Amino acid sequence: MPSSELLSRLKALTDRIHRYGYHDWFTVVVVLHHETGGGAEGLDLVDDWSSRGRGYKGRSDIEALWRSLGKHTGDTYTISTLAYMVNQEGDDWLEVCDSVEPQFERCEFSAMESTVPATLDVATPSNPLAKYSLRGMGEEIKKMAVAEVHVLGELALQGQATVLYAAPNTGKTLITLNLLIESIRVGRINAEKVYYLNVDDTVQGLITKQAIADEFGFHMIAEGWRDFTVSAFLADLKDMIDNDTAHGVIIVLDTLKKFTNLMDKGKSSHFAKFVRQFVLKGGTLIALAHTNKNPKSDGKPQFSGTSDIVDDFDCAYTLRVVSHSDVSGEKVVEFENFKRRGNVAPVASYSYTLARNASYLELLLSVKPVDEQSLELIKKAEEVKTDAEVIKVVLACIAEGINTKMTLAREVKQRSGISNKAALQVIEKYIGDDPGQHWWTFEVGARGAQIFTVLARPSSDGAGDSGSVTG
């Protein structure tokens, strides 16, 4: 334990140091830690002195640095450094010490300036970035981190911002609720920390989902109820950020367009900034959003709005329908990741019932994952079915005299509602001379034009005809 005389000297000297740049502040803290052996008396001195500065945030911030200095391997500053800093303030360090201990003995420390490490230039103003330095705050930052637990299947991680883009009626809300409930049921997440903001629903839909929330213990929030408004959401988010109450909280926004204008770059960027701060404080946010009406050139869904949400969020997926079968009574959908951080699935597929009279709870319970092998079989079956429809269109076009390759592709695109690339792929896929697997062939005409004709199909009695296409 440091002597009372030493503590009096240290207090007297620090009281005369009025510069509060981070460099100076950190130097004083290192001195007091060294001279008091990292004891509580030294921490009290640091807290008292720091509280006079404008950047003071409370003792807890100082305690984290104080503890970390026990492992400090950098320069060690002594009381001589304080004496030098007091002299730079324009005071005589000896007179300062005499004021608390009369007849304080002058000690020899000639060439004082040379004993100060070259890295410490107390006469130079602190760099403006120094006040933001996180040096010594490693333990505080660790407190904000959350475990990378999967919140929605393998689509979203705790401690991240994830956005799911899908067209209407693809099942994004249904699957999100199902996966959320499963994570609660198996204990991966705490239901008390889950807030589902349902602002895109009917009253009947809200009643149904509220009953589900009550059963599994998570919070359902809706605009117009208990004074909640979408416009106040950012203020609530900021409150959690400022008061450190975001840690472990999981928020689902259904749907994102209600909370910000996705077509406005400035507004969506401003919104994403607050989400990023929320996530850095240990929060988790999952947003459900819409895709454009028109897909990309490869036929895949295109997210709606500017790129700011995707740029600032950790993970982004699009959801599309793979199979919609009245025969099997199921719809199969696929999530495809196009931005990810951490251990999330690149693709994930689910199915759910299409039973017309099924209740929402029955729909919810029908959701199940589709494995990769099954998904490939479903995709191949859908490809055959899709090709059959396009083949019919190609055959009709050729019969009408629309029979040169590029003209044929454009017309097939128009009639089938598929991309030009997809139309060309089907045309080229079924060119050949084998009626068992091909549908048409072509001859090269003037100027290299490919002129298509339909292959004769073998019939059961051996007479050739144009055959038929079955789906």
Side-chain angles (χ1 to χ4, degrees), residues 19-24 84-85 88 118-128:
R19 294 189 297 276
Y20 288 94
Y22 186 86
H23 193 194
D24 299 320
Y84 176 74
M85 294 176 75
Q88 291 297 309
T119 55
L120 176 62
D121 181 5
V122 295
T124 303
S126 179
N127 187 292

Side-chain angles (χ1 to χ4, degrees), residues 152-226:
L152 295 180
E154 294 185 355
L155 299 176
L157 287 171
Q158 192 171 22
Q160 291 194 355
T162 302
V163 57
L164 310 176
Y165 291 98
N169 300 317
T170 50
K172 61 182 180 297
T173 296
L174 184 73
I175 295 172
T176 297
L177 279 171
N178 175 278
L179 297 180
L180 198 64
I181 289 167
E182 179 63 15
S183 290
I184 292 170
R185 190 185 66 79
V186 300
R188 280 197 297 268
I189 59 176
N190 180 3
E192 185 59 36
K193 292 274 194 174
V194 177
Y195 295 84
Y196 196 105
L197 277 56
N198 182 2
V199 296
D200 193 23
D201 210 346
T202 63
V203 173
Q204 190 58 50
L206 178 59
I207 292 170
T208 301
K209 294 180 182 68
Q210 178 57 47
I212 294 167
D214 283 342
E215 180 177 349
F216 290 94
F218 63 95
H219 303 277
M220 183 70 61
I221 295 175
E223 190 166 33
W225 292 87
R226 305 200 70 176

Side-chain angles (χ1 to χ4, degrees), residues 151-152 176 180 194-198 250-254 259 284-288:
V151 179
L152 295 180
T176 297
L180 198 64
V194 177
Y195 295 84
Y196 196 105
L197 277 56
N198 182 2
I250 298 171
I251 296 174
V252 180
L253 304 182
D254 189 359
F259 293 88
T284 303
L285 189 134
I286 298 162
L288 310 187

Side-chain angles (χ1 to χ4, degrees), residues 295-300 383 386-387 390 394 405-414 416-431 440:
K296 294 190 290 186
S297 59
D298 60 2
K300 293 183 177 181
E383 184 182 343
T386 301
D387 282 357
V390 178
V394 177
K405 188 174 186 180
M406 297 312 297
T407 305
L408 181 59
R410 283 194 294 269
E411 187 64 22
V412 171
K413 171 190 172 184
Q414 288 293 112
S416 301
I418 61 176
S419 68
N420 196 59
K421 180 179 178 181
L424 278 170
Q425 285 176 339
V426 172
I427 291 169
E428 291 172 350
K429 187 175 180 179
Y430 296 100
I431 296 172
W440 41 75

Side-chain angles (χ1 to χ4, degrees), residues 84-162:
Y84 176 74
M85 294 176 75
V86 167
N87 282 351
Q88 291 297 309
E89 290 274 3
D91 292 316
D92 186 315
W93 72 272
L94 186 60
E95 290 180 4
V96 172
C97 290
D98 277 340
S99 68
V100 292
E101 289 182 80
Q103 290 151 13
F104 179 78
E105 229 178 279
R106 181 180 292 273
C107 60
E108 294 294 330
F109 61 99
S110 58
M112 176 67 195
E113 291 188 46
S114 65
T115 67
V116 180
T119 55
L120 176 62
D121 181 5
V122 295
T124 303
S126 179
N127 187 292
L129 293 177
K131 60 180 175 289
Y132 307 117
S133 172
L134 300 179
R135 184 163 58 180
M137 292 187 65
E139 291 303 315
E140 289 300 303
I141 296 171
K142 285 180 183 178
K143 290 177 184 177
M144 292 295 104
V146 291
E148 286 195 343
V149 174
H150 285 108
V151 179
L152 295 180
E154 294 185 355
L155 299 176
L157 287 171
Q158 192 171 22
Q160 291 194 355
T162 302

